[in-house]
């Protein structure tokens, strides 16, 4: 049973908007594109695991799945790709989507990736990452005055075509690293290993409630990190079909693209979502004219009304709240 569904993190939504809107001449353009690429691969890998999660073995007692759970740890937070709460143990899944050939080297706490035509990249050992998450989860349990539960860990490779080789600690890699099709078989082994008395149902319910209560989404903004200014952001309503940052024109009540010929009635919605993500969830009429590249106040008012956007203040100090658009998109 899924208790916390997977969602697109706010930071990724902002990075995607930055890819659409920040000028390619920006000094940090390639840096934030690289971060977005890593996060997109991570999300893709986690989503590709969903099929195999549905194939997990049936158990006498229900188990509960949490995606992207981010919990407090001392003065910071830790996040788990997927956490499964069984009746008497936790399972932390560190999900990786890699291409090419992987060289596992736990002795030196690293993972090497070799892709044809590219130089070798070095990553943190995913077994160590999962171990650290288990340790932090146990600390969280103590802080919340729960009895410690055994915590199992697996590094799951979600790309079935990736090639794996082991440089050190073969037994450790064999025990903790699997490809996604082997998940059900591995979980069966873990279930047999943990055959002790299950937790009381009321305690499980209390634990689930506390996990969800303590989940804290990451609200860090790449805007300040990459020093993106409002002047770096491309204005206008972008064509959803073209990849050329083509600005559409408002003609006879619709948005038209001069490149592909596409016509759209509500393309301004995406533009306002980008504004809310990149600049501010609140916008004035003057800013609306500038960002949408429309001078006619009546036209803008009509567009806002079609989106049910509320405002505060009088005519001269009126401010529109774009926040509801972020939850509808």
């Amino acid at each position: 049973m899924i208790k916390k569904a997977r969602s697109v993190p706010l930071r990724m939504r902002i990075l995607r908007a930055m890819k659409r809107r920040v000028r390619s001449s920006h000094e940090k353009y390639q840096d934030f594109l690289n971060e977005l690429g890593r996060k997109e691969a991570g999300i893709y890998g986690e989503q590709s695991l969903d099929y195999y999660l549905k194939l997990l073995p049936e158990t006498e007692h229900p188990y509960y799945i949490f995606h992207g759970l981010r919990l407090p740890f001392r003065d910071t937070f830790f996040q788990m790709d997927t956490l499964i709460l069984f009746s008497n143990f936790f399972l932390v899944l560190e999900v990786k989507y890699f291409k090419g050939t992987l060289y596992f080297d736990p002795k030196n706490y690293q993972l090497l990736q070799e892709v044809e035509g590219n130089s070798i990249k070095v990553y943190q050992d995913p077994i160590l990452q999962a171990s650290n998450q288990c340790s932090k989860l146990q600390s969280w349990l103590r802080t919340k005055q729960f009895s410690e539960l055994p915590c199992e860990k697996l590094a799951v490779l979600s790309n079935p075509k990736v090639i794996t080789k082991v440089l050190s600690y073969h037994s450790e890699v064999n025990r903790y690293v699997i490809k996604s099709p082997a998940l059900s078989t591995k979980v069966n082994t873990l279930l047999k290993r943990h055959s002790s008395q299950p937790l009381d149902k009321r305690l499980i319910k209390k634990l689930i409630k506390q996990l969800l209560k303590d989940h804290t989404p990451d609200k860090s903004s790449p805007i300040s990190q990459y020093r993106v200014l409002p002047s770096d952001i491309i204005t206008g309503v972008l064509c959803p079909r073209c990849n050329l940052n083509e600005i559409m024109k408002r003609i006879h009540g619709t948005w038209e693209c001069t490149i592909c010929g596409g016509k759209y009635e509500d393309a301004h919605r995406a533009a306002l979502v980008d504004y809310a993500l990149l600049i501010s969830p609140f916008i004035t009429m003057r800013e609306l004219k500038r960002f949408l590249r429309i001078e006619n106040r009546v036209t803008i008012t009509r567009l806002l009304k079609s989106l049910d956007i509320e405002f505060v203040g009088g005519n001269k100090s009126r401010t529109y709240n774009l926040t509801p658009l972020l939850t509808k998109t």
Side-chain angles (χ1 to χ4, degrees):
M1 180 186 300
I2 296 179
K3 281 296 180 179
K4 183 186 176 300
R6 186 178 292 107
S7 60
V8 179
L10 176 62
R11 186 177 179 90
M12 179 176 287
R13 295 184 67 186
I14 295 174
L15 286 168
R16 286 173 174 172
M18 288 168 63
K19 181 181 179 180
R20 290 189 293 269
R21 293 279 178 178
V22 175
R23 303 180 194 282
S24 58
S25 58
H26 191 276
E27 61 176 348
K28 297 290 184 179
Y29 187 78
Q30 194 56 52
D31 291 340
F32 71 70
L33 281 191
N34 290 340
E35 180 186 348
L36 177 59
R38 292 191 300 270
K39 290 188 178 300
E40 294 280 15
I43 286 290
Y44 179 81
E46 292 168 25
Q47 290 174 339
S48 64
L49 184 66
D50 288 347
Y51 171 77
Y52 298 100
L53 287 172
K54 294 176 182 178
L55 300 180
L56 288 178
E58 294 184 5
T59 56
E60 180 181 353
H61 303 280
Y63 54 84
Y64 306 94
I65 299 175
F66 304 81
H67 292 299
L69 200 63
R70 186 171 181 265
L71 300 175
F73 174 73
R74 297 176 184 172
D75 59 347
T76 183
F77 298 88
F78 69 102
Q79 184 165 334
M80 296 164 282
D81 292 339
T82 296
L83 175 69
I84 306 178
L85 172 58
F86 291 96
S87 63
N88 49 16
F89 73 98
F90 280 112
L91 174 58
V92 170
L93 301 181
E94 178 68 21
V95 186
K96 299 295 184 183
Y97 185 85
F98 284 112
K99 298 178 180 179
T101 302
L102 300 180
Y103 298 87
F104 286 87
D105 187 12
K107 180 181 178 180
N108 295 302
Y109 311 109
Q110 64 183 5
L111 171 69
L112 309 178
Q113 180 194 28
E114 184 179 42
V115 179
E116 187 176 356
N118 297 312
S119 58
I120 292 178
K121 292 183 179 180
V122 182
Y123 298 93
Q124 186 178 352
D125 174 20
I127 302 174
L128 178 61
Q129 288 180 292
S131 294
N132 288 339
Q133 290 167 2
C134 275
S135 297
K136 292 173 182 178
L137 182 59
Q138 297 290 17
S139 174
W140 178 86
L141 287 170
R142 291 192 295 271
T143 301
K144 299 301 175 180
Q145 299 181 333
F146 286 104
S147 299
E148 287 193 19
L149 272 178
C151 184
E152 296 284 355
K153 59 181 179 288
L154 289 173
V156 184
L157 306 178
S158 57
N159 181 0
K161 295 182 179 180
V162 72
I163 299 171
T164 59
K165 297 185 179 182
V166 182
L167 301 181
S168 64
Y169 295 167
H170 287 68
S171 60
E172 184 171 336
V173 174
N174 290 337
R175 180 176 180 179
Y176 296 118
V177 178
I178 64 169
K179 289 189 177 181
S180 47
L183 180 61
S184 181
T185 300
K186 194 68 175 182
V187 167
N188 251 328
T189 302
L190 295 176
L191 289 169
K192 292 176 182 177
R193 185 184 303 166
H194 296 277
S195 57
S196 59
Q197 183 70 22
L199 290 177
D200 181 80
K201 290 182 179 179
R202 287 174 295 180
L203 183 58
I204 289 281
K205 185 176 180 180
K206 183 179 178 182
L207 179 53
I208 291 171
K209 183 178 180 180
Q210 191 66 53
L211 285 167
L212 295 175
K213 180 181 178 183
D214 276 19
H215 169 65
T216 309
D218 181 11
K219 295 183 180 180
S220 64
S221 175
I223 294 293
S224 56
Q225 177 183 339
Y226 293 109
R227 299 193 291 274
V228 174
L229 303 175
S231 57
D232 297 319
I233 297 171
I234 298 169
T235 63
V237 177
L238 303 179
C239 175
R241 185 187 302 173
C242 292
N243 295 319
L244 304 173
N245 289 339
E246 182 63 25
I247 307 301
M248 295 195 292
K249 297 181 179 180
R250 186 76 179 172
I251 302 175
H252 302 306
T254 60
W255 297 100
E256 296 188 16
C257 177
T258 58
I259 299 296
C260 69
K263 296 182 179 182
Y264 308 90
E265 296 208 358
D266 63 348
H268 52 283
R269 173 193 288 271
L272 294 176
V273 168
D274 284 350
Y275 186 94
L277 289 170
L278 299 176
I279 299 177
S280 170
F282 300 97
I283 189 169
T284 62
M285 179 58 72
R286 177 181 293 181
E287 270 292 273
L288 282 162
K289 290 181 178 181
R290 181 189 73 85
F291 196 76
L292 296 180
R293 299 190 184 185
I294 297 178
E295 286 299 322
N296 192 306
R297 185 187 186 98
V298 174
T299 299
I300 293 178
T301 302
R302 190 183 301 118
L303 294 177
L304 294 176
K305 188 175 181 180
S306 69
L307 298 177
D308 292 324
I309 294 177
E310 298 181 352
F311 63 87
V312 293
N315 287 335
K316 293 185 178 181
S317 60
R318 183 170 293 182
T319 301
Y320 296 87
N321 183 7
L322 304 177
T323 305
L325 294 181
L326 296 177
T327 59
K328 295 176 182 178
T329 304

